Amino acid sequence: MPSPDFDRNENGRYATHGLSATDFLKVFRRIRKTQRDNRQRARRTLTPAMMRNKDLEKFLELGKKKDGTLFTPEDMKRFIQSRKGHRNQFNSDVAGITYAQLVAQSTKIDVKRANNSVDDGSGIKKAMFIRLQHNTAFVKVEASDISIDDHHMVRVRFEEWDRYVEDVGDEKASLATLARQLAAGRVSFDCDCGRHQYWYRYMATAGNYALKPPAEYAFPKVRNPDLTGVACKHVVHTMTRFQSMTWQRQLGQQLKKAADQVAFGDDKTKTTKTFTDQEQKALARNRNVQTDHEKVRAEFARYQAAQKAMAKKQETSKDEIERLRKQAARARNATAKKAAALKLALARNKQLEQERDDAKKLVAEQLRLKKEGFKDAMKLTGMTDKQAEE
């Protein structure tokens, strides 16, 4: 069956106003495919291999920096260090980042635009939760007034979904509590906008909070060489809306459904929920649109301080455990030495006792032989055995 044609605006972008959720998702599948195709033809990308290049002539292929100068080996070293620092900062061994970390480390301008608290038309106002497929949410975000697009699509994967499905039915936690903790917990995300593509997708890939595909390995050498920020305004706005009970109620219902179903937990035919127009009207009652940047940053700072204190305490505990371990090892060694010395002393004592017994036997034998010799001499003088014995 041929793919349906979708209208485009005068600027060539897809006209996404008024589309059903299903058609909207089809359009954005096309958009992602177009972005993949364009990415394959990209020029002057700073790949990981190029970052370790030693040929100065190769740097000419990268173009120029913002200040008009060429890239240098020193720039590459700085970029590599920035990447390592970013990986460590975001604990890249674990997938996803929390809402607190996402907001706290986003730039002020991205948060302001997410709150629509700017006066240049770059702010955003609306977002709609349109589908949940297993642990991945699809959110339609209305573009800003100055954007050439009608909408953007944010995808959010809840990395702790499986854990919370398993907790459904626990008397200690209600569905509302589980959904709230899920929304505040670790997520990976992606957005089709240019801000995410050229500023933040590389960082998300390096920090292991990118919803892949696509994965981005090309360093943002011009747009974001210092690797500042975390998420675009569309992602910040979306994740703030997920902190509301309105959207969390749907998360809770889907957690419950996942906990009850017999099919595989990631079976698309059983775990895909596209919200109806009526359900979207209910979801539109979400009024949680303002991200309190300073409050979240303060809370995250306290969290980091607590984590550092805990780490320091654990390190102190490790040192104390190591000290006790060494002390126990020394005690064991001393005990082993004493045991060995005692064993040696007992063996020596046994040997001395044996030598003493042997000496007694020798003396007794010598006395017996002397006595026998004496008796024989007496008998030679004519004494009887009895007389010689006496």
Side-chain angles (χ1 to χ4, degrees), residues 58-232:
K58 287 284 187 180
F59 290 122
L60 297 176
E61 300 175 6
L62 296 175
K64 296 181 179 180
K65 293 184 282 188
K66 284 184 177 181
D67 61 5
T69 60
L70 296 174
F71 290 97
T72 66
E74 287 69 31
D75 290 322
M76 301 303 111
K77 291 178 182 178
R78 180 166 57 86
F79 294 159
I80 290 172
Q81 286 303 117
S82 294
R83 180 179 61 191
K84 288 180 179 178
H86 185 71
R87 285 183 181 276
N88 293 334
Q89 181 182 10
F90 284 85
N91 188 19
S92 59
D93 291 337
V94 181
I97 58 173
T98 64
Y99 172 69
Q101 188 173 16
L102 184 153
V103 173
Q105 297 185 269
S106 288
T107 64
K108 287 186 176 180
I109 189 59
D110 284 318
V111 176
K112 283 185 176 181
R113 289 168 177 165
N115 288 340
N116 194 30
S117 57
V118 289
D119 56 10
D120 60 358
S122 63
I124 54 177
K125 313 177 190 70
K126 297 179 180 179
M128 177 56 62
F129 185 13
I130 60 174
R131 172 178 285 182
L132 184 67
Q133 183 173 302
H134 180 213
N135 61 349
T136 302
F138 296 77
V139 179
K140 177 172 68 175
V141 183
E142 189 170 306
S144 69
D145 293 342
I146 62 173
S147 175
I148 60 175
D149 295 299
D150 288 349
H151 292 90
H152 292 287
M153 187 172 72
V154 173
R155 295 179 296 146
V156 177
R157 183 173 62 222
F158 297 98
E159 299 294 356
E160 297 169 290
W161 179 269
D162 295 347
R163 167 193 163 189
Y164 286 108
V165 168
E166 293 171 355
D167 287 343
V168 171
D170 188 337
E171 295 178 354
K172 297 179 181 178
S174 65
L175 276 179
T177 299
L178 296 178
R180 184 177 69 253
Q181 293 173 345
L182 176 71
R186 290 183 291 106
V187 298
S188 297
F189 55 83
D190 189 69
C191 181
D192 69 284
C193 75
R195 179 77 161 173
H196 183 76
Q197 181 175 353
Y198 299 115
W199 271 261
Y200 299 135
R201 186 174 285 145
Y202 174 86
M203 297 172 64
T205 303
N208 198 15
Y209 54 89
L211 201 167
K212 298 174 284 189
E216 181 59 86
Y217 298 127
F219 193 92
K221 63 186 187 301
V222 176
R223 304 293 179 88
N224 195 8
D226 296 324
L227 299 185
T228 57
V230 173
C232 66

Side-chain angles (χ1 to χ4, degrees), residues 2-19:
S3 300
D5 291 327
F6 294 102
D7 293 337
R8 293 177 182 261
N9 295 322
E10 293 179 356
N11 58 19
R13 301 283 177 151
Y14 283 105
T16 51
H17 282 298
L19 291 179

Side-chain angles (χ1 to χ4, degrees), residues 18 20 28 42 58 85 87 92 98-99 119 156 212 256 263 275 278 283 285 321 323 331 342-343 346 363 367 377:
S20 67
F28 273 86
K58 287 284 187 180
R87 285 183 181 276
S92 59
T98 64
Y99 172 69
D119 56 10
V156 177
K212 298 174 284 189
K256 177 67 166 57
F275 299 116
Q278 192 64 31
L283 289 166
R285 298 191 184 100
I321 291 171
R323 185 187 69 78
L342 178 60
K343 184 178 181 180
L346 290 172
V363 170
L367 289 174

Side-chain angles (χ1 to χ4, degrees), residues 242-291:
F242 269 118
Q243 306 314 302
S244 75
M245 289 183 62
T246 307
W247 284 20
Q248 288 172 11
R249 190 174 297 112
Q250 272 294 350
L251 291 179
Q253 290 176 11
Q254 300 311 309
L255 284 172
K256 177 67 166 57
K257 180 181 176 182
D260 289 337
Q261 75 181 23
V262 177
F264 285 126
D266 56 356
D267 186 336
K268 289 183 180 180
T269 62
K270 299 295 183 181
T271 63
T272 299
K273 170 64 176 177
T274 302
F275 299 116
T276 65
D277 291 342
Q278 192 64 31
E279 288 169 329
Q280 288 187 39
K281 286 181 181 179
L283 289 166
R285 298 191 184 100
N286 186 343
R287 296 292 181 264
N288 194 21
V289 297
Q290 292 297 304
T291 304

